[in-house]
Amino acid sequence: MSTQFSIPRVGILLFLGCILAVALPAETVLRVWGLEVGEHAIGNEAAVREFERRHLAATGEGVEVQLAVIPAGSVQGVMDPQKLLCAIAGGRPPDVVWQDRFTVGQWAWMGALRPLDDHLAEPGAPRAEEYYGPTWEETISQGRVYAIPTITDVRVLYYNEDLLRRGGHVDASGEVVLPADWDALLEMGAALSERDERGRLTRVGFIPNFGNSWYYLWSFLNGGEFLSPDGRTCTLAAPENVEALAQMVRGYDLLGGYERVKGFQDELQSRVTDPFLVGQVAMKIDNDVFIRDIARYRPDMAFGITLPPGPPGREGCTWSGGFAWVIPAGAPQPDLAWEFIAWMSSLEGRLFAERAQARHNRSRGRPFFPMLHCHREAARRIVEELSPAEPRLREASLARLAIMERTRTRPVTPVGQLLWDQHNDAFYAAMTHDLTPSQALRRSQAVVQARLDLVWRPESARPPVLAWRWPVGV
């Protein structure tokens, strides 16, 4: 008898299961691309899981955040721009993307991103004044906001106190004397350099573009701009920019020329240990993330950081990069995407993620060094609460907050990547003396201007990306 009724019973159970499957909606899936995950980003994953928990508690509806990490290898950092562009043009974009802020202006102009102004008008939404100004300005294109800034970095001048003392750069009280301007920086760098009996560099005081500096910084130090205020004219060859590039050339020439310095750099960079950490470079400009390496490998090092110095009579400054949250054009769930962004970029969300990462690191006996955040209060709270206890490391970490007040960002423009490439081409042409600084910058300026003229033609005003949806989709 039991065998007779087994099939009907199974059928009834299947029927009831189908009813339940229809009656109970499936868990919503939110697709997020580009967010850093893994051992060094446990805090991000913790914040994502907390978002899922809070959304369920607030709405009674489950949501699963699917994180897709796109392999690195492009200027986007962890994001593959080609894959994202094809997804948007093909009508299958993710809901949220963690994107390099430097690219936001270009993607916004292409029509590949959704403006966020409607969400920013909601109560409790992020406000521009809560953020470091330059990092927020980097998200604005043609008067509309397309991203919410997240983490940032800042370029600083690192110096090895022991090497400066050995070179006699101390005052009457025994305090280390830092270069007062960029002339003193180059001259001190040359004086601290050492050579072997064959004239080859064995130690360098300072190299203009070793670390993470770039010609952008040198131009900013001299008051230079790369575009006109309306963004339609390239000004790479402006006098301030020519002077800045000439200063970099002078820095290399004081060390024996670019090729000789490059040979020294190539030899050093073939090793695992950073040359600054082992005392083969006395000073360098790098981003603040490098302090994390000092904390891990040389916590006892006598070092300091300061604002990169400018020309005589001009204050120093720096520049910042970093990432931001964006919603691609055509994203299927923009409201849920915004809810996710609002949590992840909030003060509470940032504190939650950084504290989780700090706990993880310390549970494994690893030092933790907090990132800088674009949100002012989050940056202050996180740096003050979670910076290392070791005095030099803590002092350097806290110093970043004041340095951020003197930061700038790269120009927001539809031709941002080309401008970067051409500014770099001009640098190499001038360093090798293939062209004078003025000639190199005029050549690069012409290339960028030609592209700008195409971009701002009336017939090109319509964003081109979404017009490709049908052929790319096919």
Side-chain angles (χ1 to χ4, degrees):
M1 292 293 289
S2 60
T3 304
Q4 277 185 320
F5 289 96
S6 62
I7 294 177
R9 286 173 181 169
V10 171
I12 291 169
L13 290 173
L14 289 173
F15 177 71
L16 292 173
C18 290
I19 292 176
L20 288 171
V22 172
L24 298 175
E27 189 175 60
T28 301
V29 173
L30 186 78
R31 294 192 302 145
V32 177
W33 282 15
L35 181 64
E36 287 187 307
V37 296
E39 186 69 18
H40 66 292
I42 293 293
N44 286 340
E45 296 182 70
V48 168
R49 302 286 86 87
E50 179 66 8
F51 167 76
E52 293 174 338
R53 188 193 69 78
R54 288 178 178 233
H55 180 82
L56 177 62
T59 67
E61 300 175 357
V63 59
E64 177 193 356
V65 179
Q66 290 184 352
L67 300 175
V69 181
I70 311 303
S74 72
V75 296
Q76 301 289 118
V78 296
M79 175 54 58
D80 181 339
Q82 194 60 42
K83 180 164 185 169
L84 178 59
L85 185 62
C86 288
I88 295 171
R92 294 280 298 166
D95 296 286
V96 183
V97 177
W98 198 63
Q99 181 141 336
D100 190 333
R101 279 200 316 278
F102 172 59
T103 69
V104 167
Q106 189 163 333
W107 283 70
W109 178 83
M110 292 191 300
L113 303 180
R114 185 183 188 279
L116 304 179
D117 302 81
D118 55 341
H119 294 296
L120 290 171
E122 298 172 6
R127 302 191 308 275
E129 59 269 23
E130 296 174 329
Y131 290 76
Y132 288 106
T135 67
W136 185 272
E137 291 161 11
E138 205 171 15
T139 69
I140 300 173
S141 178
Q142 300 183 72
R144 307 187 78 178
V145 177
Y146 285 88
I148 302 300
T150 58
I151 60 170
T152 190
D153 60 19
V154 65
R155 276 126 201 90
V156 300
L157 176 66
Y158 290 84
Y159 55 91
N160 182 319
E161 285 194 7
D162 292 336
L163 292 181
L164 267 60
R165 289 180 186 281
R166 195 170 80 178
H169 299 286
V170 292
D171 61 18
S173 64
E175 293 295 317
V176 168
V177 175
L178 300 178
D181 54 52
W182 70 3
D183 290 334
L185 175 61
L186 297 186
E187 290 157 9
M188 185 183 295
L192 290 169
S193 299
E194 299 176 6
R195 293 171 171 79
D196 62 17
E197 65 280 358
R198 297 171 59 185
R200 295 179 304 182
L201 289 164
T202 57
R203 175 178 286 122
V204 169
F206 177 77
I207 302 172
N209 201 36
F210 179 70
N212 192 323
S213 171
W214 304 102
Y215 168 55
Y216 268 122
L217 174 62
W218 293 81
S219 173
F220 290 154
L221 287 169
N222 204 37
E225 301 285 351
F226 296 96
L227 296 174
S228 61
D230 64 4
R232 300 191 176 212
T233 303
C234 180
T235 58
L236 263 172
E240 297 85 358
N241 294 333
V242 174
E243 291 172 6
L245 189 53
Q247 182 72 354
M248 297 185 79
V249 173
R250 176 172 173 254
Y252 280 95
D253 288 350
L254 284 172
L255 298 172
Y258 177 75
E259 292 301 330
R260 177 168 292 186
V261 175
K262 184 177 183 298
F264 174 76
Q265 287 185 221
D266 290 345
E267 181 182 350
L268 292 180
Q269 290 172 332
S270 66
R271 305 172 187 172
V272 175
T273 306
D274 186 280
F276 181 82
L277 296 179
V278 295
Q280 289 180 298
V281 171
M283 298 179 289
K284 74 167 182 173
I285 295 173
D286 210 332
N287 69 32
D288 65 289
V289 179
F290 180 68
I291 306 176
R292 182 185 297 173
D293 291 342
I294 298 176
R296 183 171 183 179
Y297 300 112
R298 287 291 312 277
D300 60 336
M301 184 178 188
F303 83 103
I305 68 170
T306 189
L307 194 66
R314 184 184 286 273
E315 284 189 86
C317 69
T318 186
W319 68 271
S320 296
F323 287 80
W325 291 112
V326 300
I327 300 177
Q333 303 171 101
D335 291 338
L336 183 59
W338 174 254
E339 182 186 337
F340 175 80
I341 290 173
W343 157 250
M344 294 294 289
S345 60
S346 68
L347 172 61
E348 187 180 7
R350 290 296 78 213
L351 286 168
F352 187 94
E354 293 288 342
R355 287 167 177 165
Q357 187 67 48
R359 288 193 300 270
H360 173 79
N361 282 28
R362 290 163 184 165
S363 71
R364 284 158 176 74
R366 298 172 186 160
F368 174 76
F369 190 81
M371 294 291 295
L372 273 176
H373 289 261
C374 303
H375 188 283
R376 286 177 177 273
E377 184 63 12
R380 185 190 66 79
R381 292 272 300 275
I382 289 167
V383 166
E384 290 181 356
E385 177 183 327
L386 299 175
S387 290
E390 197 284 325
R392 288 186 186 274
L393 292 170
R394 185 169 184 81
E395 181 182 350
S397 184
L398 292 171
R400 296 177 299 164
L401 299 176
I403 291 173
M404 274 298 294
E405 300 296 341
R406 295 287 302 164
T407 200
R408 297 190 51 182
T409 56
R410 292 162 289 182
V412 178
T413 172
V415 299
Q417 187 57 50
L418 179 66
L419 180 59
W420 173 273
D421 294 340
Q422 286 301 314
H423 114 290
N424 211 28
D425 287 351
F427 164 79
Y428 285 113
M431 292 309 114
T432 56
H433 293 283
D434 291 338
L435 298 172
T436 68
S438 179
Q439 290 169 338
L441 289 169
R442 286 202 306 270
R443 184 180 69 176
S444 290
Q445 178 176 285
V447 174
V448 177
Q449 189 60 53
R451 181 73 62 84
L452 281 171
D453 291 341
L454 287 174
V455 165
W456 295 116
R457 288 186 312 180
E459 61 269 27
S460 70
R462 184 174 183 271
V465 169
L466 298 185
W468 303 346
R469 176 176 293 178
W470 183 82
V472 172
V474 172

